[in-house]
Amino acid sequence: MPCKHQITLISNQPKFTFVPSLPWVGLGLKSLDRIQLDLAKIVPQHGIEFIHAAVTAIDPKSRQIKMSEQTLDYDYAVIATGPELALDVLPGLGPEGRVLTLWEIKPEFFMQFPCRYLRQ
């Protein structure tokens, strides 16, 4: 008998941004929409339910994930919060030193500084 399962992706962001390509956007070599995926469009195509919401709490005893407008029961949960950066290991790294990593910068930041001269 085949295994029955339901996968649900919960994200507070409507789009997935491929962060390693953000410098290309800043250099004017790619547009932001070329390195982003609309989760509501692409995720259901793979049989995965998508919920655009922020998780407000996880209750492992009752196996529930709470969001502002709904609660989801689960058997197993995978929490993928992104990278954990150790900005304190190198003096001057981080916002206080005016040096940021790609993981800290919002994609829209790169739209401010297109280097058009590189295309010439």
Side-chain angles (χ1 to χ4, degrees):
M1 190 159 149
C3 179
K4 182 176 166 49
H5 61 272
Q6 169 65 46
I7 298 172
T8 302
L9 172 65
I10 304 168
S11 177
N12 64 339
Q13 299 296 318
K15 295 181 179 181
F16 169 79
T17 302
F18 186 66
V19 174
S21 290
L22 280 173
W24 295 33
V25 174
L27 295 171
L29 301 174
K30 284 191 184 263
S31 61
L32 187 57
D33 65 321
R34 297 272 314 212
I35 66 163
Q36 290 184 320
L37 297 173
D38 184 335
L39 294 172
K41 283 184 181 179
I42 198 160
V43 170
Q45 294 175 7
H46 299 279
I48 300 170
E49 179 185 3
F50 174 65
I51 299 174
H52 180 202
V55 173
T56 57
I58 299 172
D59 185 346
K61 286 185 179 178
S62 65
R63 291 186 172 170
Q64 292 184 324
I65 296 175
K66 300 176 189 214
M67 296 154 273
S68 60
E69 296 184 19
Q70 74 183 93
T71 298
L72 180 70
D73 294 322
Y74 69 88
D75 292 319
Y76 299 96
V78 176
I79 312 300
T81 60
E84 182 177 329
L85 303 173
L87 299 176
D88 57 332
V89 297
L90 184 62
L93 189 58
E96 298 81 24
R98 297 183 52 94
V99 177
L100 300 173
T101 69
L102 288 177
W103 298 106
E104 299 171 279
I105 300 172
K106 300 274 185 217
E108 295 76 22
F109 172 83
F110 286 95
M111 300 304 292
Q112 301 176 60
F113 309 105
C115 299
R116 306 260 182 245
Y117 64 90
L118 290 174
R119 290 187 173 183
Q120 297 174 0

